Amino acid sequence: MTDASISRRPLQVRLATPRGFCAGVDRAIQIVERALEKYGAPVYVRHEIVHNRHVVDRLRNLGAVFVEELDECPTDRPVVFSAHGVPKSVPAEAERRALFYLDATCPLVSKVHVEAERNFSAGRQIVLIGHAGHPEVEGTMGQLPEGAVTLIETPEDAERFEPREASNLAYVTQTTLSLDDTAEIIGVLKRRFPGLPDPHKEDICYATTNRQEAVKRVAEQCDLVLVIGSPNSSNSVRLVEVARRAGARMAQLVDDASVVDWGWFDGVQTVGITAGASAPEPLIEALVAAIAERFDTDVVEDSGARETVTFKLPRVLSES
């Protein structure tokens, strides 16, 4: 179908609120930007600072060099650890090599690390609910000795899990999971192990929770939901899944407006738009503008939770 054939047809656009950057992502990006300002380029970053192609490309253009391991970093330049957190072996290696490093781990991920260590110190076997291979999961598992943490990804994993001592368990979760999927897994574990204690505070972060609740509200009223985010962004992929379950006829993950298939809009009267926690607001604005070029749009802002959380930067970056 050509753009002309759908020109100016009425279309309601519903914007989920909150959407886009969270406090942890904002802090991580600022750490790289401030490091570049203070120390000059290049600044090395272990792993993508956050999972968004546009953010990474912009920082690369400013002088950030993204690497996967510390052995790719010279000893005379700063290195930043990503927002997802790192195993304890990484700062230990940095100190061994006398690297100057800045830790951009989201404080809410660090909270999960502390919770896992506290339970391990109390002699409990740790269950981590999360996705294998995700850097946050690797970072959390890497806080403790090998074999101390058992990863559970699905309800089936939870059914098969055989602990060393059923009465001496604790669980933590990845911060960017689906609320509903995680609740299902925890439900299985609690049915099998009734004494399983909850973390002191919910591990799935406020931003993940707020964005999933917002997309649920929007998806119930939409034929199509577009989620702006990169494919390796866990929280963005979860938003697509949540939108589909909440009733949207179709939900798609898009890096930006340029990859939208306008055929998706066939028969669509209402489209919802949200963005993962690592997607910048200009991408949302560009998508709304691209839709407005093709349709007679009525843009409605959802009334969702107001986020006022901020996290401090490392002191060394605020010193003159």
Side-chain angles (χ1 to χ4, degrees), residues 172-231:
V172 294
T173 81
Q174 187 179 333
T175 63
T176 55
L177 298 178
S178 159
L179 295 168
D180 295 336
D181 288 349
T182 305
E184 184 179 1
I185 292 170
I186 293 170
V188 172
L189 291 171
K190 284 182 171 287
R191 170 174 54 77
R192 295 190 62 214
F193 314 110
L196 181 67
D198 290 319
H200 284 177
K201 192 175 180 183
E202 177 68 55
D203 287 341
I204 295 178
C205 82
Y206 78 92
T208 297
T209 300
N210 289 346
R211 280 151 189 73
Q212 289 183 20
E213 295 298 339
V215 85
K216 282 181 184 178
R217 289 192 301 272
V218 166
E220 290 172 352
Q221 308 167 63
C222 293
D223 306 302
L224 168 66
V225 172
L226 298 177
V227 177
I228 299 176
S230 293

Side-chain angles (χ1 to χ4, degrees), residues 22-190:
C22 64
V25 163
D26 190 49
R27 173 180 180 270
I29 293 169
Q30 284 191 60
I31 286 173
V32 178
E33 292 171 341
R34 296 282 185 91
L36 285 164
E37 290 170 9
K38 185 166 185 175
Y39 305 110
V43 166
Y44 286 75
V45 184
R46 185 187 180 277
H47 193 69
E48 292 186 352
I49 187 69
V50 298
H51 284 160
N52 185 271
R53 178 174 63 84
H54 295 272
V55 170
V56 169
D57 286 349
R58 185 180 71 82
L59 292 174
R60 184 180 285 117
N61 289 336
L62 291 175
V65 177
F66 292 90
V67 299
E68 285 304 311
E69 298 300 341
L70 290 186
D71 59 14
E72 301 172 66
C73 302
T75 56
D76 61 345
R77 298 304 304 161
V79 59
V80 180
F81 302 154
S82 83
H84 311 98
V86 295
K88 278 189 172 179
S89 59
V90 173
E93 172 65 9
E95 289 168 11
R96 188 190 69 78
R97 293 185 59 204
L99 294 174
F100 171 57
Y101 67 88
L102 296 159
D103 190 354
T105 300
C106 174
L108 299 180
V109 174
S110 297
K111 179 191 76 67
V112 176
H113 293 177
V114 170
E115 186 84 13
E117 289 190 275
R118 183 183 65 81
N119 279 295
F120 179 73
S121 296
R124 300 185 183 98
Q125 184 177 354
I126 311 299
V127 169
L128 170 60
I129 301 171
H131 297 298
H134 191 279
E136 183 184 329
V137 165
E138 293 176 350
T140 299
M141 295 185 78
Q143 300 306 303
L144 299 174
E146 189 170 349
V149 181
T150 300
L151 179 63
I152 289 182
E153 298 187 78
T154 65
E156 292 73 25
D157 288 347
E159 291 285 5
R160 290 190 295 264
F161 171 57
E162 293 297 338
R164 294 189 297 272
E165 187 179 348
S167 62
N168 201 24
L169 294 172
Y171 76 88
V172 294
T173 81
Q174 187 179 333
T175 63
T176 55
L177 298 178
S178 159
L179 295 168
D180 295 336
D181 288 349
T182 305
E184 184 179 1
I185 292 170
I186 293 170
V188 172
L189 291 171
K190 284 182 171 287

